[in-house]
Every structure is written in C-alpha cells, then in structure tokens.
Amino acid sequence: MSDCTVEVGTAAEGWVELPLAEYPELREPGGSANVTVPSALLYVIVACVSPECWVALWSTCTHGACGLEWRPDLQLAECPCHGSVFEPDGTVLLGPADRDLAVFAVGRRGDSLWVHRPL
Ligand code: FES
C-alpha cells in the first residue's frame, strides 16, 4: 500500500495546494476527486485510502486517452474504455494497458492536501 509518511515541501519545490474546503470528499477514506490544476500540469485522481493517507494517480489511462475512474470499494483505478485496472501505486494490474501510471506524493499540512508535481 502507499507510503503515508509524506513530508510536504514548499510551492517552489513543486508542491501544489489542494484546500480540503474545496475537496471535502477527500477528508474521509473512500473519498476521491478528479483534480485539474492546468497551471501546474496536474491532472490526477486523488483518493483517500485510509485515515490521513492519500494517493494521487495520473487520471488518463496509459492505453489511450480515456479518463480513469476510482473504485473505492476495490481501492483501484479502472478504465471505462477497455477495462485496464491500476493499483494505487500506479502499477498495471490488468491490461490492455502495459505502462504504469505516474503517481505523485500527497501529504497534509493544516487543512490542505499538497501534491508533489515538480515541473
Ligand atoms: S484506454 Fe484505457 S484500457 Fe484502453
């Protein structure tokens, strides 16, 4: 499972703030959100997988251009187009995709999550 001990850095180091007030679904395990921050080239699914533990996965399937969907019941990302499935660490679990997803560290500081997206 994911590493939940994340030391959040600064915006200058590529950490992007996601205020939990804007993403209240991320406060509780099982919650997820599609997060798009074009200025940071950040297009991810963020999911809360256990208390105080989040994952952030690139939201576009590596097989094609389809947007992935988070399955909280399975804690997996699934592609609605041809059925590829990805682990929370981005690893392909089921093809036809044959390339892992990019994943990004997520930590909490104050009442915000921070995703590490170095440019
Ligand atoms: S585009 Fe995702 S499995 Fe084909």
Side-chain angles (χ1 to χ4, degrees), residues 35-112:
V35 173
T36 299
V37 184
S39 60
L41 298 179
L42 187 68
Y43 305 91
V44 289
I45 294 173
V46 180
C48 183
V49 293
S50 62
E52 298 300 306
C53 183
W54 296 267
V55 294
L57 304 91
W58 195 251
S59 58
T60 303
C61 182
T62 58
H63 179 243
C66 291
L68 298 172
E69 296 170 356
W70 182 251
R71 291 282 308 269
D73 51 334
L74 303 174
Q75 298 213 340
L76 297 168
E78 192 174 59
C79 182
C81 290
H82 314 107
S84 290
V85 178
F86 300 88
E87 302 265 17
D89 67 358
T91 307
V92 175
L93 184 64
L94 197 66
D98 59 4
R99 284 180 297 128
D100 295 344
L101 286 174
V103 293
F104 305 90
V106 189
R108 181 173 181 164
R109 185 166 65 210
D111 203 35
S112 291

